[in-house]
Amino acid sequence: MMQITTPRGTILSMTMVFGSWAKFQLRLVALAACLILLQLNRVCAENPRELPTVRIGAISNLTGEGSSWGINHQRGTILAMEQRNSAGGIRGQKVEILFEDSPGGVARNAVSAYRKLVDLEKVRVILGPLMGDELLAVSPLSLRDKVFMVGATYMPRLPDNFFSTWIDVDQESDLLAERLRASYGRIAILGSQQSWESAVAHRVRATFTKLGGEVVGFEEPSSDASDVAAEVLRISRGSPEAIVISSYFLLPHYAREIHRLGLAAQLFGIELDQSVIDSCEGRVEGLRFIGPTPPTKAFVDAFQVRWGSPPDLPAAHSYDAARVLFAALEQTDQSFEQLKGYFSRLLKYEGVTGTISSATNSTPLRTSWYSVVAGRVQQEQRP
């Protein structure tokens, strides 16, 4: 055994020296390992590993004309998403909804939003869009791309890859025409070329005439018209007892001209909200309109708590659209074909707006009548 003599005369064994050094090194390694594990534990705690999210696209007109509809659509959808995630998501996965704006609810903007969601974000299911013209433009693209869509939207002859939670326009228009005919013999109709607004105008005219009434004026300018003076002047020449305005977008312009001409005819509308009434600046006092029956109190309360204001159209129908889609994604393999099959067989879904069924691919009719009183929308009491 080799020994070393120190200046102080201490004799050290080489085995002792190197043995102690080896132990020291092992201790350093162990300490370093502990520090690394502690750091990894801290990072993992700050960034917990999560399962991949269930990604859903949404097209909504959040800016421009009619943006109050888009905002209510977004809020109703987010409320449904948050509630679903709080309950465990879809098969343990969180739901993530990617919103794309379609300014003004214009068809070309909806196509642009669709392309971003499908081509860039790679989503395979979409909530929306909201307007019939948007859906007409997006529908052939979604069929080609095998993208399934659900929304609070109306379009004649809905494609089999779209499930609607909105009221059937023909049924609603017939109720409006019947109410009109019960009190009036001569009406005028002010609509627009927007697909849904035009469908309402034509259906009301057909049903009112069938019931023995006379339509003395019928106008359909472009939905982005700002000057409707000529249209209002023409219908005034027929001396209508009542005027039906089927256009949401043109209501403020029509109201301005009717007020300017001093027409005394009773005003009627369909599916309006407080936002568009406010934009009429007091010119539609006494206007009556038909629309969806208010949703359940539980939904209204939850919406109020989450957003600090009551829901308006189409928040509740958008909420139902999201929830019925979540149920489909939970119960299928989430493929295009299985989603089509699921919704084609859907007999009944109880939503906050009523019973949703694939029998008519729309919400069976639950409507109410509303009046504008002191500038505020109020639900009329049933007689």
Side-chain angles (χ1 to χ4, degrees):
M1 180 184 292
M2 182 178 178
Q3 295 181 335
I4 299 174
T5 303
T6 69
R8 295 179 181 272
T10 304
I11 305 300
L12 297 176
S13 164
M14 287 299 291
T15 301
M16 292 173 60
V17 171
F18 289 107
S20 299
W21 175 247
K23 289 179 181 178
F24 178 70
Q25 286 180 311
L26 286 172
R27 287 171 181 162
L28 282 178
V29 171
L31 178 61
C34 288
L35 290 172
I36 291 170
L37 287 172
L38 286 171
Q39 178 67 10
L40 286 173
N41 187 59
R42 183 183 68 80
V43 171
C44 289
E46 292 177 354
N47 303 280
R49 189 179 175 210
E50 295 182 354
L51 291 171
T53 59
V54 177
R55 302 172 84 240
I56 299 170
I59 300 174
S60 191
N61 49 318
L62 300 171
T63 59
E65 197 81 22
S67 61
S68 65
W69 274 61
I71 292 169
N72 272 278
H73 166 255
Q74 184 183 52
R75 289 179 173 181
T77 303
I78 289 174
L79 179 60
M81 178 191 70
E82 291 175 345
Q83 290 178 348
R84 185 76 187 203
N85 285 337
S86 295
I90 296 175
R91 299 178 191 168
Q93 295 177 267
K94 294 289 187 183
V95 178
E96 178 186 6
I97 298 181
L98 310 175
F99 285 90
E100 279 296 332
D101 186 17
S102 174
V106 177
R108 64 177 180 275
N109 294 336
V111 170
S112 177
Y114 172 89
R115 291 262 62 96
K116 289 178 184 178
L117 289 170
V118 174
D119 296 342
L120 299 181
E121 299 294 346
K122 307 300 182 184
V123 302
R124 308 311 301 168
V125 285
I126 290 177
L127 289 163
L130 288 176
M131 303 299 168
D133 287 352
E134 294 177 299
L135 185 55
L136 282 167
V138 167
S139 178
L141 302 178
S142 67
L143 284 168
R144 182 196 66 192
D145 298 333
K146 294 189 175 181
V147 171
F148 200 87
M149 300 189 296
V150 180
T153 316
Y154 167 82
M155 186 181 86
R157 296 175 296 280
L158 285 165
D160 61 3
N161 69 321
F162 187 91
F163 186 81
S164 174
T165 59
W166 199 247
I167 291 173
D168 181 87
V169 68
D170 289 342
Q171 296 177 59
E172 195 175 19
S173 299
D174 285 348
L175 281 182
L176 172 56
E178 289 165 8
R179 175 65 66 92
L180 285 161
R181 185 66 189 96
S183 301
Y184 304 100
R186 297 162 55 83
I187 67 169
I189 300 173
L190 294 170
S192 84
Q193 294 174 22
Q194 196 265 355
S195 61
W196 184 90
E197 296 175 353
S198 179
V200 170
H202 284 267
R203 183 73 178 200
V204 170
R205 177 171 65 177
T207 303
F208 187 80
T209 302
K210 184 179 179 180
L211 293 172
E214 181 184 4
V215 178
V216 297
F218 188 92
E219 299 289 337
E220 282 190 315
S222 170
S223 61
D224 60 359
S226 58
D227 184 358
V228 293
E231 286 80 1
V232 175
L233 180 61
R234 282 195 291 270
I235 64 108
S236 70
R237 293 169 181 158
S239 302
E241 300 167 305
I243 299 173
V244 179
I245 302 175
S246 70
S247 176
Y248 179 96
F249 294 107
L250 295 183
L251 178 62
H253 304 303
Y254 282 139
R256 183 185 62 244
E257 291 304 318
I258 290 170
H259 185 266
R260 187 178 66 82
L261 291 177
L263 301 184
Q266 172 65 45
L267 301 183
F268 285 86
I270 182 169
E271 293 185 11
L272 304 175
D273 58 21
Q274 189 61 52
S275 177
V276 74
I277 296 302
D278 291 343
S279 69
C280 292
E281 301 177 338
R283 299 188 181 103
V284 291
E285 187 68 17
L287 177 146
R288 302 179 68 201
F289 67 92
I290 192 172
T293 295
T296 63
K297 184 178 184 300
F299 170 78
V300 173
D301 291 345
F303 191 97
Q304 179 82 44
V305 169
R306 177 61 178 87
W307 299 108
S309 61
D312 214 331
L313 294 176
H317 292 80
S318 301
Y319 175 88
D320 277 345
R323 284 172 57 89
V324 75
L325 177 58
F326 298 159
L329 294 173
E330 178 79 39
Q331 298 175 45
T332 67
D333 67 4
Q334 304 179 6
S335 68
F336 181 72
E337 292 301 328
Q338 284 217 8
L339 287 171
K340 282 205 306 178
Y342 176 91
F343 281 104
S344 70
R345 296 187 298 271
L346 182 64
L347 297 178
K348 184 168 64 174
Y349 183 88
E350 294 297 339
V352 300
T353 59
T355 303
I356 302 167
S357 169
S358 61
T360 58
N361 203 13
S362 64
T363 305
L365 209 56
R366 282 182 57 192
T367 58
S368 292
W369 280 89
Y370 303 84
S371 297
V372 178
V373 180
R376 305 298 299 176
V377 173
Q378 294 187 9
Q379 184 180 4
E380 295 181 4
Q381 299 299 313
R382 291 183 180 273

